[in-house]
Amino acid sequence: MDLPRVFTIRESGHRIHNPLTDDQLATLGRALRLPPAARVLDLASGSGELLCTWARDHGVTGTGVDISTLFTAAARARAAELGVADRVEFVHGDAAGYVAAEPVDLAACLGATWIGGGVAGTVELLRRSLRPGGTLLVGEPYWRRPPPDQETVAACHAATEDDFLPLPELIEGFGELGYDVVEMVLANHDGWDRYRAAQWLSVRRWLDRHPDDELAAELRAELTTAPARYARYEREHLGWGVFALLAR
């Protein structure tokens, strides 16, 4: 049970596996005003930056669950580096269907709503781990600008335009699920640039070290087209945000 190797190659240099910057992740942690020693569950926790830095900065405790052995190991190393290994734990496993043994103050899934079959299913999955009055945190793409054609849709990693919503409709959708949006942090162009460009550098360095690997031709072709494709389509059309939700 693991992520495909091509994905971990792309993001082997990332600490945050979405287009939030370090500053934005810190802003989100401050904005939520979590109580002392708040218990956090982070599904699809990646390399653990949310839990580790919030444990250091805000005193949270919690658990991260991720299917990647590489990212889980990186998260544990990050916890040790920041001196919070006694406050957070990282579990290698499938986050789909994972429910905390005890209710948590905050349940999060940033950028991996496929674990619940979409936004609605992921919100319901997170709710099952949440104490009454607790906060849900969901990270999700949205259309910054309507895609003009199917080529743009595909370049933004969607099958159809309906896979993502414009920002107002995404926020309204949380309301239809019975939640108030009480905070949000939206990725900007700089965050997207850092996220995507870091992938290109990781791929290039991997190619230099592994020219004869079975994935080399696929990743060489990807690197040849990815920067211009991103600049032409994704940078202007695709947004991404994290939304804090409280049940009505």
Side-chain angles (χ1 to χ4, degrees):
M1 181 173 58
D2 213 330
L3 282 178
R5 193 160 62 102
V6 68
F7 186 88
T8 56
I9 290 169
R10 284 192 202 107
E11 303 214 354
S12 59
H14 287 60
R15 288 207 312 260
I16 301 174
H17 298 278
N18 59 60
L20 286 189
T21 63
D22 292 340
D23 288 345
Q24 287 181 311
L25 185 62
T27 294
L28 180 62
R30 292 191 299 269
L32 292 175
R33 297 177 241 165
L34 296 170
R39 180 74 178 168
V40 177
L41 174 67
D42 188 7
L43 297 184
S45 52
S47 295
E49 194 71 359
L50 182 153
L51 272 174
C52 291
T53 57
W54 289 9
R56 177 195 63 191
D57 297 339
H58 306 293
V60 308
T61 64
T63 300
V65 182
D66 200 274
I67 200 170
S68 169
T69 53
L70 178 68
F71 297 161
T72 301
R76 292 169 180 161
R78 183 64 166 157
E81 177 188 359
L82 297 186
V84 297
D86 60 332
R87 304 185 61 83
V88 296
E89 64 172 341
F90 293 96
V91 176
H92 172 242
D94 189 352
Y98 187 95
V99 177
E102 297 181 4
V104 299
D105 298 291
L106 184 146
C109 177
L110 273 56
T113 55
W114 57 81
I115 68 171
V119 171
T122 299
V123 166
E124 173 57 23
L125 173 61
L126 293 173
R127 183 201 61 78
R128 294 168 59 195
S129 294
L130 197 67
R131 68 163 178 80
T135 303
L136 298 183
L137 207 57
V138 178
E140 181 70 3
Y142 61 87
W143 291 120
R144 186 192 303 272
R145 293 170 52 191
D149 49 40
Q150 183 59 31
E151 187 174 6
T152 304
V153 169
C156 292
H157 314 285
T160 72
E161 183 175 349
D162 293 339
D163 285 353
F164 306 135
L165 296 171
L167 181 59
E169 283 84 345
L170 177 59
I171 292 173
E172 288 171 347
F174 292 125
E176 293 167 1
L177 294 173
Y179 292 86
D180 289 321
V181 175
V182 296
E183 187 56 78
M184 68 180 186
V185 175
L186 304 181
N188 55 30
H189 279 142
D190 182 60
W192 272 111
D193 293 349
R194 300 282 62 72
Y195 176 58
R196 287 302 183 208
Q199 293 178 342
W200 309 332
L201 181 58
S202 291
V203 168
R204 174 53 196 266
R205 287 180 170 170
W206 182 88
L207 284 168
D208 289 345
R209 295 192 304 269
H210 304 92
D212 299 321
D213 190 275
E214 62 182 0
L215 292 176
E218 175 185 346
L219 287 170
R220 176 67 261 174
E222 177 182 304
L223 183 58
T224 300
T225 60
R229 185 178 176 87
Y230 162 73
R232 180 170 290 115
Y233 300 108
E234 188 176 10
R235 194 174 192 270
E236 297 304 320
H237 290 89
L238 192 61
W240 194 88
V242 182
F243 305 87
L245 314 175
L246 289 174
R248 291 175 178 168

